[in-house]
Amino acid sequence: THDGEDLWQKLVKPARQLEFVVCGHVMGRHVGYRHDSNVHGLEVHQMLFNAQGLGGSPNQQGNGGDGWLRLMTLRPDGQTLDVRSFSPYRLAKGQDPWWRDLDHSFTLRFA
């Protein structure tokens, strides 16, 4: 088994061509974003999205994820990525299908 730190050290950090890493299946907070420099001094964006523990109650816990999807739209400039979270399950139930806080709705810029 290789955890995120192993993958960062052995695969991502030494690679010149990786600029963006998407991962999941980490329990706890369920979402996250960070950026770090690799050994070449280039910025690597890292996004965590683990929907299985989100949804189902006022504090957004449980119910197997409520169908949350992470939508990523690359703008025509080729350097800007809009990230949003959407639930077709919540839409079908007549609830707001968009997660609007900054952990779920943000923009990344690539060099």
Side-chain angles (χ1 to χ4, degrees):
T1 298
H2 297 281
D3 67 12
E5 183 63 25
D6 288 338
L7 291 170
W8 170 258
Q9 294 296 334
K10 295 175 183 173
L11 176 67
V12 179
K13 189 174 181 180
R16 180 179 297 275
Q17 69 276 24
L18 293 179
E19 296 182 53
F20 185 44
V21 178
V22 178
C23 57
H25 204 63
V26 175
M27 301 306 279
R29 204 160 161 262
H30 303 288
V31 296
Y33 168 78
R34 66 182 288 164
H35 58 91
D36 296 290
S37 296
N38 64 18
V39 297
H40 306 285
L42 303 171
E43 184 177 57
V44 179
H45 297 274
Q46 302 153 70
M47 182 178 69
L48 165 69
F49 186 64
N50 180 46
Q52 76 186 40
L54 302 174
S57 68
N59 65 359
Q60 302 300 325
Q61 299 300 311
N63 202 35
D66 276 358
W68 286 107
L69 303 171
R70 184 58 54 101
L71 304 177
M72 295 181 278
T73 305
L74 184 62
R75 293 188 194 173
D77 66 9
Q79 296 179 324
T80 307
L81 184 72
D82 294 317
V83 179
R84 297 180 302 155
S85 299
F86 174 80
S87 170
Y89 173 76
R90 289 176 60 92
L91 178 66
K93 290 182 71 176
Q95 299 172 342
D96 184 2
W98 297 101
W99 210 322
R100 300 175 194 282
D101 68 58
L102 292 178
D103 284 337
H104 293 276
S105 182
F106 54 92
T107 298
L108 302 177
R109 301 208 192 293
F110 296 88

